[in-house]
Amino acid sequence: MGAAEQLPPPGPAPEGALLAEAATRLAVLWVPDWPIAAAVAEGLIGAHQSVVLHDGRGVTAVSAKARAAGVRRGMRRRTAQGLCPDLVLLPADEARDVRAFEPLVQGVEEVVPQVQVMRPGVIAVGARGPSRYLGSEEAVAEALVGAVAQASGSEAQVGIADGLLAALLAARTSTVVPPGRSARFLAPRDVRDLIYITTTRQSRAAYTDLVDLLRRLGLSTLADLATMRTAHVLPRFGELGVQAQRLARGLDAYPPQTHRPEPDITTHAELDPPAQRIDTAAFAARRLAEELQSRMVRRGVVCARLRVSARAENGSELTRTWRIDGALTATELTDRVRWQLEGWLSGRSGQPPSAALTHLELAAEEISPAAAVQDGLWGRVGRGQIQAGRAVLRVQGLIGAEGVLAPVLEGGRSPRDRVRLVTWGDELRPLRDPEAPWPGQIPRPLPATVPAEPVPARLVDAQGDPVRVGRRGELEGDPALVEVRRATRTASSGTVPTAGTIRAAGTVRGAGAARGTGTTATAHPITGWAGPWPVHERWWSGTEPRTYLQVVTEGGALLLAGEGGRWWVEGVYD
C-alpha cells in the first residue's frame, strides 16, 4: 500500500481536552489479517483460499475472501461454514504468528531503531527521530511500508499520531494526524476502539468490562469519556478509567514522570551446555520469566516494555522489545520469550543466531507502580507449591515440555469432553464454558476415573444375546453381563474392573499389543443399571448417535458408551 494520507482539517476539540501536555509522537505499522498471512508464509494455505483461524471457541481471524462472504470474527465455526461452504479452518497458533513476524521486524529495524512489538502484526516506533533523518513523517510511513513489502511481501498500513491509541487507529486508515490534533481525531470514535490498545489477556478482559459499562451508562464515544472531569472518573471507574480517559484525549496512558523512574528489573542466565533445542531454551526462559514476574509482584510494579536478549555461540546477539500494557502473568512472559527464541533458533529470519544460545536475559523496562499487583494475604503461593513447581520444571527439562500435563475443566456432555490436558505452565483456560448449559450431558455424579483411551466392552442379556441400541436410543434387551477387554499384562482374567485396572488397560492396551501379549475379556454379572441417555452431537457431519449407560457390578460401577452394537468403558465410579 502507499504512504499514509494527511488528515483533513478537524472539527472542534472536545470540551475540557488536555492540550497542554504533549504525548509521545508514535508511528504504528499494522499488517492486516497477520495471522492469515503467517499461515500463508508457513505454506499451510494458499493466498487465494477462504480461510479462518479458530481457537476452539470461535473465529479469531478471517481472510479477505472469507470476509467478503460474510464471515466475521467471533462467529462460531458452524455459522462461518454455513456462510462460506469452501471455508478452510485452521487452529490459531500464536507461536506461528511470532515466527513468521520475526523477519518482518528485522526488516523494519534496518529502517528505524528501537522497534517495539505490541503483538504479531503490530509494531510501534518513535516518529520524531526517524522523521528528522528521513525528511518527513510521510517519508517514514513510505519507508516502513517498503521495508515490510521487501521482507515478507505483505501489505502494511502506517499511522502516525500523538499517543498510542490515536496512532493505532490512524494505522487502520493510513492517516497522519497533525501534532496536537489527536483528541479531535479520536472524538467521534466508538469507545469499543479502546480494545485495540490491549496486549495481554488480562488487560483485554478489563477493557472489555470497562467498555460495556461505559456504553450502558450512555458514554458511547471517546469524546463522551474525554470531556468528563477526571475527579469524577477516578471514583467511578478506577485507575483503568483514568487511563482510558487519557487515551481518549490523545495522551499517553500514564502522565510523564517528574521524578527519577524506577530502575529496570533484570534476570539473566548462562546456558551451559548451550541450548540447541527449543524446549531446552524454553525451560531456561520459563525459570527467568517466573523470577522476573515474582520480583515485579513483590515490588508492586508493572512494566511497559519487556526486553528479551540472547547471545549465541558464534558471538552474535539479538534483542527484541515487546510493548506491554498492564500486568503480565508468568505464563504470558514465558510465551513471549519462547516464541521469540523459537524464531531465532529455527533460523527462519535468515539472520543469526541460528547457532546454540549461551546467554539469555530478560529486562522489565519503564517500571511504574501497579494499583493491584500484590501478593495476596490468602492467595499467596505456599512453599510446598513453589518446590513442587520447581520439581516439575526439572522434569520438563529432562523429558520435554509435553511430558508433564495438567487438567483443565471444560464444558461438555461426556466425562471425556469435560477435561482437557494442557502442558504444565501453559494457561489453564477452558475452551468451552463449564458453567454453560449442556443439554443431554451425563448426570452427576461423574466417574472418578476416565481411561486415557476407551476400553472395549461387550454387553449381553440373560440369554447371551448382545444388547443393542435401537434407532430411537432405546435398549433392545436388559443388560445382564458385561465383558471388559484389556491387555493381559495389566490384570489377571479373574479380577474385577477397578479404577486401577481400567486405567491401566486404557493406557497400555496399544503397547501390550505391540509386545504380543494380546487382550483378555473378563465377564462381570450386572446387579443394576440406569439409563440409557442418548446423545446426538454433530449430526451435520454424519456422526452416529451415542448412548450412555450406567451399570453396577459386584466390584463397582461403570459408565458404558455405545453406538449400535458396539460398547466400551467410558468411566469407572469409585
Side-chain angles (χ1 to χ4, degrees), residues 39-55:
V40 173
E42 295 265 341
L44 300 178
I45 55 174
H48 63 285
Q49 293 179 291
S50 300
V51 184
V52 298
L53 304 184
H54 63 89
D55 61 357

Side-chain angles (χ1 to χ4, degrees), residues 5-11 175-178 181 184-185:
E5 300 175 357
Q6 191 73 22
L7 183 72
T175 303
V176 174
V177 181
R181 302 292 183 87
R184 290 185 173 93
F185 171 73

Side-chain angles (χ1 to χ4, degrees), residues 42-122:
E42 295 265 341
L44 300 178
I45 55 174
H48 63 285
Q49 293 179 291
S50 300
V51 184
V52 298
L53 304 184
H54 63 89
D55 61 357
R57 292 174 297 177
V59 174
T60 60
V62 185
S63 67
K65 188 175 180 181
R67 194 180 301 111
V71 181
R72 296 292 183 268
R73 291 182 58 184
M75 282 185 175
R76 300 187 63 173
R77 288 179 293 175
R78 183 170 59 181
T79 305
Q81 288 176 313
L83 293 172
C84 185
D86 61 342
L87 196 65
V88 178
L89 298 174
L90 286 179
D93 187 348
E94 292 178 296
R96 177 181 63 216
D97 299 342
V98 175
R99 281 198 310 267
F101 197 54
E102 179 61 23
L104 187 148
V105 178
Q106 293 186 359
V108 172
E109 283 181 326
E110 296 178 358
V111 178
V112 294
Q114 297 181 348
V115 172
Q116 299 180 33
V117 179
M118 292 191 62
R119 54 182 177 270
V122 180

Side-chain angles (χ1 to χ4, degrees), residues 207-362:
Y207 267 100
T208 299
D209 293 340
L210 175 63
V211 166
D212 292 341
L213 176 59
L214 292 174
R215 292 186 64 83
R216 290 199 304 270
L217 295 176
L219 304 174
S220 59
T221 67
L222 293 177
D224 296 334
L225 177 62
T227 54
M228 290 185 64
R229 294 181 58 184
T230 304
H232 294 165
V233 173
L234 181 59
R236 288 168 172 80
F237 306 111
E239 289 290 341
L240 185 64
V242 175
Q243 295 176 21
Q245 185 185 51
R246 290 182 57 83
L247 293 169
R249 290 174 170 178
L251 303 176
D252 296 327
Y254 298 96
Q257 297 181 355
T258 57
H259 56 83
R260 183 178 179 180
E262 293 267 0
D264 297 340
I265 302 177
T266 305
T267 60
H268 62 87
E270 301 295 332
L271 307 181
D272 186 20
Q276 296 180 339
R277 297 170 48 188
I278 299 296
D279 54 355
T280 305
F283 168 71
R286 176 172 296 174
R287 180 169 54 84
L288 291 180
E290 290 184 343
E291 179 182 351
L292 183 68
Q293 195 264 354
S294 176
R295 291 174 61 182
M296 286 195 294
V297 168
R298 287 198 300 268
R299 289 176 54 177
V301 297
V302 295
C303 67
R305 298 192 305 177
L306 171 67
R307 176 167 51 83
V308 184
S309 303
R311 186 186 309 123
E313 280 185 311
N314 55 14
S316 58
E317 296 186 7
L318 274 179
T319 300
R320 178 69 61 244
T321 301
W322 290 78
R323 192 175 185 95
I324 307 298
D325 69 305
L328 274 176
T329 64
T331 300
E332 290 176 318
L333 276 173
T334 304
D335 286 342
R336 280 165 169 76
V337 178
R338 186 177 72 242
W339 298 337
Q340 199 62 64
L341 295 177
E342 187 172 352
W344 288 340
L345 284 174
S346 62
R348 291 182 52 84
S349 61
Q351 298 187 16
S354 56
L357 301 181
T358 59
H359 178 82
L360 184 62
E361 180 178 293
L362 306 182

